[in-house]
Amino acid sequence: MKQKRTTVLIMALAMAAGMHCAQAQIAIVEDFKPTPVNQPGSPFPQVNSEGRVRTQILAPDAKRVQLDIGAVKYEMVKDENGVWTGESAPQDVGFHYYQLNIDGASVPDPGSLFFFGACRWGSGIEIPSDDQDIFALKNVPHGHVHEVLFPSKSTNTSRRAFIYTPPGYEQETSKRYPVLYLQHGYCENEYSWPMQGRANLIMDNLIAEGKANPFIIVMTYGMTNEIKFGGLRDFDIKPFQTVLVDELIPYVDTHFRTLADQKHRAMAGLSMGSMETKTIVMNRPEVFSHIGLFSGALFQPDEVKNKANVKLIFQSTGSKERPDAVKQSTEALKQAGINAAWYVSEGTAHEFHTWRRSLHQFAQLLFK
Amino acid sequence: MKQKRTTVLIMALAMAAGMHCAQAQIAIVEDFKPTPVNQPGSPFPQVNSEGRVRTQILAPDAKRVQLDIGAVKYEMVKDENGVWTGESAPQDVGFHYYQLNIDGASVPDPGSLFFFGACRWGSGIEIPSDDQDIFALKNVPHGHVHEVLFPSKSTNTSRRAFIYTPPGYEQETSKRYPVLYLQHGYCENEYSWPMQGRANLIMDNLIAEGKANPFIIVMTYGMTNEIKFGGLRDFDIKPFQTVLVDELIPYVDTHFRTLADQKHRAMAGLSMGSMETKTIVMNRPEVFSHIGLFSGALFQPDEVKNKANVKLIFQSTGSKERPDAVKQSTEALKQAGINAAWYVSEGTAHEFHTWRRSLHQFAQLLFK
């Protein structure tokens, strides 16, 4: 398809560059399309082949409207009908949180679907990637994602978990499955992996291709301070470890057809979730055998307790994070005789596309 | 608790009353509290004992900010820090959609959770009611809500359904259950019943009290034009009837332990969903035996086909809708020898509290 190029006046990247009001002539490729995470029927937001985000909002009486994405605010421009339009610089492939700023008010873009991240439900955008096929909704058998409210005595609440059961779970009623406990990051919650992480579709596709053995995935909220997010500095793993190991695992093992032993139980997490994973598997080595650390904690060989029972340590990162540290740490584990693997997500940073790809890689190594 | 009363200057109900800038002295009861549908950690929106909604937003450069609820826009007032605050008139008990208007832009309130209704994901608010206990999250056994992607040849897609299985479903593996197919209204979707409808919690509580027999509930999207909402005038039931009866029911009957016959299958819906229910049960009387019509269609005796096999017709409405028509229609059904029941939700209109209560009543009559 021939691409039309237009040149528009924008005040962009001004804040990132430390300029206050830079104006630049930027050529923008005019092949914008609505995205898979738009609200039903909404023509905006749109993304072009460069990965720029364009959105629009009617705000006839506003003085200033900005598109706020990737920690940069891009000026939007008003037309004669009061409709503001603006574009971002090209974004990394994959999923990003964003918002609008209308005369100083930070609000969700009403054109997008809403996701939990950055400590709040707000707008999300999907930048097409070469490998988006790994989490696409395809015509293959689909597993179910169960929303479960499990009793937690330690917190005196019913707590939510999302539990993925693979295709065939309902029909093959004598089969039992291994389980992966999969944690989100700081300022995310139990919705993050099934929604923007697309964990269920990644698994459906891998299983349909014969690349992963079917297993159950359990995703719950990784903190016990429900009301407000606290500082990570004061984070104490104990309350969540109790919820996960002493309350949720027994619930899952009595309500789902699991293989309820260490050999068939994995834990993984992204960012804060990787730190939780490392801490909990060190505290309770008798519970988990397969370990995944995405974009965060790394294992040193002398930290691995009960080595004979550790079946896999998988460590990953975005290429824009710290690939060398991940490789070095993982090679050291291998030299210590531990079954370890590393993965670097090309062209991505500390964001969900790195973690989708990490799950896609990790899942192919699990329980084999 | 002693309530403090303050008198504040507000421009309220101006639009409803046809005035452009009316100012009125209104005494507002100062017992506002954050609501159960606030974003984690967000102090606003709040609701007081009169059912007024108060919200706040930082918008230092805005000229005008309004709270838009119940088809009325209420002026908000800016303080010296650029924070706008405003209150609505008292609202009916239960759940309502709302939004903010910032210098002409209609946006979600970033302080609230988001729900699908009014044709979009946007802010929702919960006004306390005397009977909110019926859908409260309690320390009782909880069923699971399965997110299912079922194959639909007629629409060439994988379509989403939420499927409630009652407590005990996973453990009592030889037990089979009746099924209710439960439809949302126009400009809502398959998320509406499990989210703002709280269908799963209503059932968990009824089952814990021994007031309802356990059954499965299936909730799917009731239209086949996924991308944009069309006019109801041109609505053709056939495509959805095909999805529901010829594709979803067989999927449910092969993936869940159902009692797969007419005697053990119900259909109900609210508003547009009640019209779909009436039409489909008339077209396919061999499929459903129990029928629920909430706030919409009504049956006349001569419209009921296959009378001997109709086990129940339940018709309901809010007291602010048309209770007389519902009572008359239902009494006529009874006189024609049909097992029929009516229910009027006191003090509510065409809104979700009417439908939560309707489900709560209907569920106690089902499959008995």
Side-chain angles (χ1 to χ4, degrees), chain B residues 205-279:
Chain B
N205 292 335
L206 281 174
I207 293 166
E209 294 165 25
K211 290 182 177 169
N213 287 333
F215 52 85
I216 292 168
I217 304 181
V218 179
M219 299 158 277
T220 197
Y221 183 55
M223 301 183 94
T224 49
N225 50 338
E226 300 272 12
I227 302 308
K228 66 174 180 179
F229 286 91
L232 268 184
R233 200 187 317 181
D234 305 321
F235 187 72
D236 174 12
I237 195 68
K238 285 286 164 55
F240 174 60
Q241 181 177 305
T242 299
V243 167
L244 183 79
V245 178
D246 301 327
E247 296 174 342
L248 180 53
I249 289 179
Y251 182 90
V252 171
D253 285 338
T254 52
H255 288 74
F256 292 84
R257 296 194 316 277
T258 63
L259 292 162
D261 57 14
Q262 190 255 6
K263 222 167 43 174
H264 296 97
R265 206 180 284 123
M267 184 171 179
L270 71 91
S271 194
M272 177 188 82
S274 74
M275 296 174 209
E276 294 181 327
T277 298
K278 181 179 168 181
T279 311

Side-chain angles (χ1 to χ4, degrees), chain A residues 33-46:
Chain A
K33 293 194 190 79
T35 87
V37 295
N38 284 29
Q39 292 236 8
S42 177
F44 289 90
Q46 300 186 350

Side-chain angles (χ1 to χ4, degrees), chain A residues 39-42 57-63 100 102-110 112-114 116 119-122 137-140 142-151 156 158 163 165 168-171 189 194 200-201 204 226-229 251 254-256, chain B residues 39-42 57-63 100 102-110 112-114 116 119-122 137-140 142-151 156 158 163 165 168-171 189 194 200-201 204 226-229 251 254-256:
Chain A
Q39 292 236 8
S42 177
I57 188 164
L58 176 70
D61 306 320
K63 286 192 295 284
L100 300 181
I102 302 173
D103 284 346
S106 291
V107 294
D109 180 351
S112 84
L113 296 180
F114 304 130
F116 195 83
C119 289
R120 50 134 175 75
W121 288 94
L137 176 61
K138 296 185 194 173
N139 185 19
V140 298
H142 296 291
H144 295 177
V145 179
H146 307 232
E147 181 182 352
V148 161
L149 296 164
F150 66 97
N156 197 27
S158 291
I163 302 187
T165 53
Y169 181 87
E170 287 76 23
Q171 289 95 340
N189 68 11
N200 55 322
L201 296 177
D204 290 346
E226 301 272 10
I227 301 308
K228 65 173 181 180
F229 286 91
Y251 181 90
T254 52
H255 287 74
F256 292 83
Chain B
Q39 291 238 8
S42 178
I57 188 164
L58 176 70
D61 306 319
K63 287 192 293 286
L100 300 181
I102 301 174
D103 283 346
S106 292
V107 293
D109 180 351
S112 84
L113 296 181
F114 304 129
F116 196 83
C119 290
R120 50 138 176 73
W121 288 95
L137 175 63
K138 296 185 194 172
N139 185 19
V140 298
H142 296 290
H144 295 177
V145 178
H146 307 232
E147 181 181 352
V148 161
L149 296 164
F150 66 96
N156 196 27
S158 291
I163 302 187
T165 53
Y169 181 87
E170 286 76 23
Q171 287 94 340
N189 68 12
N200 54 324
L201 296 177
D204 290 345
E226 300 272 12
I227 302 308
K228 66 174 180 179
F229 286 91
Y251 182 90
T254 52
H255 288 74
F256 292 84

Side-chain angles (χ1 to χ4, degrees), chain A residues 7-284:
Chain A
T7 300
V8 296
L9 252 190
I10 62 168
M11 289 181 286
L13 287 167
M15 299 181 76
M19 297 175 285
H20 283 291
C21 201
Q23 288 194 333
Q25 298 271 344
I26 296 183
I28 291 181
V29 181
E30 281 296 334
D31 58 357
F32 286 91
K33 293 194 190 79
T35 87
V37 295
N38 284 29
Q39 292 236 8
S42 177
F44 289 90
Q46 300 186 350
V47 174
N48 77 353
S49 56
E50 300 172 283
R52 291 185 199 274
V53 179
R54 170 179 284 170
T55 196
Q56 261 193 5
I57 188 164
L58 176 70
D61 306 320
K63 286 192 295 284
R64 188 182 197 186
V65 180
Q66 296 164 305
L67 166 59
D68 181 355
I69 183 168
V72 178
K73 291 194 177 85
Y74 301 90
E75 297 296 331
M76 297 172 70
V77 176
K78 185 160 88 164
D79 72 10
E80 66 279 12
N81 300 313
V83 176
W84 295 74
T85 305
E87 298 86 13
S88 74
Q91 304 292 306
D92 287 348
V93 295
F95 181 86
H96 307 280
Y97 308 110
Y98 77 103
Q99 61 186 354
L100 300 181
N101 194 285
I102 302 173
D103 284 346
S106 291
V107 294
D109 180 351
S112 84
L113 296 180
F114 304 130
F115 301 85
F116 195 83
C119 289
R120 50 134 175 75
W121 288 94
S123 291
I125 190 80
E126 188 71 47
I127 311 293
S129 61
D130 289 344
D131 62 345
Q132 62 192 5
D133 208 47
I134 66 175
F135 55 80
L137 176 61
K138 296 185 194 173
N139 185 19
V140 298
H142 296 291
H144 295 177
V145 179
H146 307 232
E147 181 182 352
V148 161
L149 296 164
F150 66 97
S152 163
K153 280 193 182 157
S154 70
T155 59
N156 197 27
T157 53
S158 291
R159 302 181 70 82
R160 183 182 290 108
F162 290 104
I163 302 187
Y164 169 81
T165 53
Y169 181 87
E170 287 76 23
Q171 289 95 340
E172 298 170 50
T173 54
S174 61
K175 189 170 173 181
R176 304 187 79 87
Y177 297 81
V179 186
L180 164 63
Y181 289 81
L182 182 61
Q183 291 306 126
H184 59 81
Y186 184 59
C187 280
E188 297 172 343
N189 68 11
E190 68 274 23
Y191 290 88
S192 303
W193 267 113
M195 290 185 70
Q196 55 267 48
R198 300 174 79 95
N200 55 322
L201 296 177
I202 290 170
M203 290 308 304
D204 290 346
N205 292 336
L206 280 174
I207 292 166
E209 294 165 26
K211 290 183 178 169
N213 287 333
F215 54 85
I216 292 168
I217 303 181
V218 179
M219 299 158 278
T220 197
Y221 182 54
M223 301 182 94
T224 50
N225 51 339
E226 301 272 10
I227 301 308
K228 65 173 181 180
F229 286 91
L232 268 184
R233 201 185 317 182
D234 305 322
F235 187 72
D236 174 11
I237 195 68
K238 284 287 162 55
F240 174 60
Q241 181 178 305
T242 299
V243 167
L244 183 79
V245 178
D246 300 328
E247 296 175 339
L248 180 53
I249 289 180
Y251 181 90
V252 171
D253 285 338
T254 52
H255 287 74
F256 292 83
R257 296 195 315 278
T258 62
L259 292 162
D261 57 16
Q262 191 254 7
K263 221 166 44 174
H264 296 97
R265 206 180 284 121
M267 184 171 182
L270 70 90
S271 193
M272 177 187 82
S274 74
M275 296 174 210
E276 294 182 327
T277 298
K278 181 179 169 182
T279 311
I280 290 175
V281 300
M282 285 173 75
N283 288 346
R284 302 293 296 268

